[in-house]
């Protein structure tokens, strides 16, 4: 099959319900040998790998596992963590005839050690599909995504609901920052994600990103995408942010650069929004992040937060924060 076939199948699978995934894709693949494009990965060792190193967190990934063993999701894993069952087998039936089509379970990749705040972190989640015939259940299709905790809760609620249809569309924040050829355009890119939330703010918004150590949000040594692009967080801003917030026992955020206007990309001369820059000031002067450059020199890093907000008065307290580790100048 051509790449176009792959893109068509992947896009349909991303929005498909459980019934469609089983009847249109998994069943023909096993029973009639229907051929899938080579771009779909087949990996019998999937449960022994760290998804953060294997997959792009911005994509929905579909992996064929053959053979699937009884140990999958129980004793398998890697040095960084392992897959564990969150929701056991749900019977997927044809909603018109009641015929059993297969089973679905939900697994979560559990990191062995983490200090990240629970409400902020995204976790890798796997939806595993298999047919009801015991002679065919060694061949499974796995749908893998990186989700917020609230998105996981929604997925679990749907798992225990009777319907096998697709989930309603949900608002989604980009996990990571972006690096554009023209850095001046990055501010407008971030501000675009704040449009349309006058009445409804994402459920994973937080109020206390200014009052916690950024290492509670991300592991800079395990998350390679963060190291390159930074992580995005929706937050509610108050006038005290950066001035009187108590921070945490490890330090606090302080303003490095005040409001910088960001020009509109639609109307010449109009101000689209503003950006200001914070630095996290560590209480422990020995607490340092660094790396060794190609010349063997130690390069010191510091936590930086770029805060973006729209120019409209009624949107000034709803902001997008991009947290990064950057070289100390």
């Amino acid at each position: 099959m051509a790449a176009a076939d792959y893109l068509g199948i992947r896009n349909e699978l991303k929005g498909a319900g459980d019934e469609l995934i089983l009847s249109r894709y998994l069943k023909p693949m096993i029973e009639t040998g229907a051929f899938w494009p080579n771009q779909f990965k087949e990996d019998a060792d999937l449960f022994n790998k760290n998804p953060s190193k294997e997959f792009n967190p911005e994509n929905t990934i579909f992996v064929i596992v053959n053979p699937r063993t009884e140990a999958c999701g129980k004793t398998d894993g890697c040095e960084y963590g392992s897959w564990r069952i969150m929701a056991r087998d749900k019977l997927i039936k044809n909603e018109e005839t009641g015929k059993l089509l297969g089973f679905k379970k939900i697994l979560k990749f559990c990191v062995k050690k983490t200090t990240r705040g629970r409400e902020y972190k995204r976790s890798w989640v796997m939806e595993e599909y298999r047919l009801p015939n015991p002679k065919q259940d060694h061949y499974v299709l796995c749908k893998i995504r990186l989700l917020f905790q609230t998105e996981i809760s929604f997925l679990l609620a749907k798992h225990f609901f009777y319907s096998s249809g697709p989930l309603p569309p949900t608002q989604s924040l980009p996990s990571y920052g972006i690096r554009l050829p023209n850095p001046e355009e990055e501010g407008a890119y971030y501000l675009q994600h704040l449009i349309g939330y006058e009445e409804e703010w994402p459920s994973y918004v937080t109020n206390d990103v200014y009052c916690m150590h950024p290492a509670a949000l991300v592991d800079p040594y395990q998350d390679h995408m963060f190291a390159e692009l930074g992580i995005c967080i929706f937050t509610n801003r108050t006038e005290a942010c950066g001035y009187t917030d108590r921070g945490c026992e490890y330090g606090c955020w302080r303003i490095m650069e005040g409001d910088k206007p960001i020009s509109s990309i639609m109307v010449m001369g109009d101000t689209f929004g503003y950006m200001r820059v914070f630095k996290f000031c560590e209480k422990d002067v020995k607490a340092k992040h660094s790396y060794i450059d190609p010349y063997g020199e130690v390069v010191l890093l510091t936590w930086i937060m770029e805060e973006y907000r729209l120019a409209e008065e009624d949107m000034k307290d709803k902001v997008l924060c991009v947290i990064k580790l950057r070289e100390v100048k």
Side-chain angles (χ1 to χ4, degrees), residues 224-235:
H224 302 295
M225 287 285 289
F226 164 78
E228 180 180 355
L229 301 171
I231 190 172
C232 296
I233 303 288
F234 270 122
T235 188

Side-chain angles (χ1 to χ4, degrees), residues 162-183:
Y162 70 90
S163 174
S164 61
L167 290 170
T170 58
Q171 299 288 359
S172 182
L173 167 71
S175 306
Y176 299 97
I178 191 171
R179 185 174 294 169
L180 298 178
N182 181 3

Side-chain angles (χ1 to χ4, degrees), residues 7-21 25 60 62 127 129 143 145 164-169:
L7 293 175
I9 292 175
R10 189 192 66 176
N11 290 336
E12 183 176 53
L13 279 170
K14 285 171 66 176
D18 302 334
E19 182 178 337
L20 184 64
I21 290 175
Y25 290 103
T60 299
F62 295 91
E127 297 165 75
Y129 296 88
K143 179 180 180 180
R145 293 177 287 171
S164 61
L167 290 170

Side-chain angles (χ1 to χ4, degrees), residues 120-154:
Y120 311 98
K121 77 173 182 178
R122 289 179 176 230
S123 298
W124 288 100
V125 174
M126 177 193 298
E127 297 165 75
E128 179 197 271
Y129 296 88
R130 75 178 195 275
L131 297 184
N133 188 335
K135 295 181 179 180
Q136 299 174 327
D137 66 2
H138 64 285
Y139 212 122
V140 300
L141 175 61
C142 298
K143 179 180 180 180
I144 303 171
R145 293 177 287 171
L146 188 65
L147 301 177
F148 277 103
Q149 185 61 42
T150 49
E151 294 174 304
I152 296 173
S153 298
F154 186 49

Side-chain angles (χ1 to χ4, degrees), residues 21-220:
I21 290 175
L22 285 164
S23 60
R24 184 177 296 184
Y25 290 103
L26 184 58
K27 185 175 181 179
M29 180 173 59
I30 296 176
E31 294 187 350
T32 66
F35 179 72
W36 279 43
N38 291 332
Q39 291 93 334
F40 281 102
K41 186 175 183 179
E42 184 167 346
D43 190 348
D45 200 33
L46 174 66
F47 290 88
N48 290 320
K49 295 181 178 179
N50 179 2
S52 295
K53 292 185 177 181
E54 296 292 320
F55 307 123
N56 183 341
E58 291 298 320
N59 293 337
T60 299
I61 303 101
F62 295 91
V63 181
I64 304 160
V65 179
N66 179 32
R68 185 201 188 284
T69 68
E70 287 299 319
C72 291
K74 295 180 181 178
T75 60
D76 295 18
C78 62
E79 182 180 356
Y80 190 55
S82 57
W83 291 98
R84 290 291 180 263
I85 296 172
M86 297 181 70
R88 297 189 178 277
D89 286 340
K90 173 184 179 179
L91 277 65
I92 308 300
K93 299 180 179 180
N94 183 299
E95 293 191 355
E96 293 184 0
T97 66
K99 179 182 178 181
L100 179 63
L101 300 175
F103 302 97
K104 170 188 171 181
K105 68 175 59 173
I106 301 176
L107 303 94
K108 174 182 174 182
F109 189 78
C110 298
V111 180
K112 290 182 179 179
K113 293 182 179 180
T114 181
T115 57
R116 291 177 294 170
R118 181 180 176 185
E119 72 172 284
Y120 311 98
K121 77 173 182 178
R122 289 179 176 230
S123 298
W124 288 100
V125 174
M126 177 193 298
E127 297 165 75
E128 179 197 271
Y129 296 88
R130 75 178 195 275
L131 297 184
N133 188 335
K135 295 181 179 180
Q136 299 174 327
D137 66 2
H138 64 285
Y139 212 122
V140 300
L141 175 61
C142 298
K143 179 180 180 180
I144 303 171
R145 293 177 287 171
L146 188 65
L147 301 177
F148 277 103
Q149 185 61 42
T150 49
E151 294 174 304
I152 296 173
S153 298
F154 186 49
L155 182 64
L156 291 174
K158 183 68 170 59
H159 186 80
F160 296 110
F161 187 57
Y162 70 90
S163 174
S164 61
L167 290 170
T170 58
Q171 299 288 359
S172 182
L173 167 71
S175 306
Y176 299 97
I178 191 171
R179 185 174 294 169
L180 298 178
N182 181 3
E184 294 297 320
E185 297 177 355
E186 292 177 6
Y189 166 84
Y190 291 124
L191 290 174
Q192 288 285 346
H193 289 282
L194 296 174
I195 296 176
Y197 286 118
E198 291 84 352
E199 302 297 332
E200 181 182 357
W201 197 225
S203 58
Y204 39 83
V205 67
T206 179
N207 294 330
D208 58 357
V209 67
Y210 300 90
C211 303
M212 64 189 307
H213 196 290
L217 307 176
V218 63
D219 184 344

Side-chain angles (χ1 to χ4, degrees), residues 290-300 327:
S290 64
Y291 72 93
I292 306 297
D293 69 13
Y295 304 101
E297 298 292 330
V298 177
V299 179
L300 296 179
E327 291 184 20

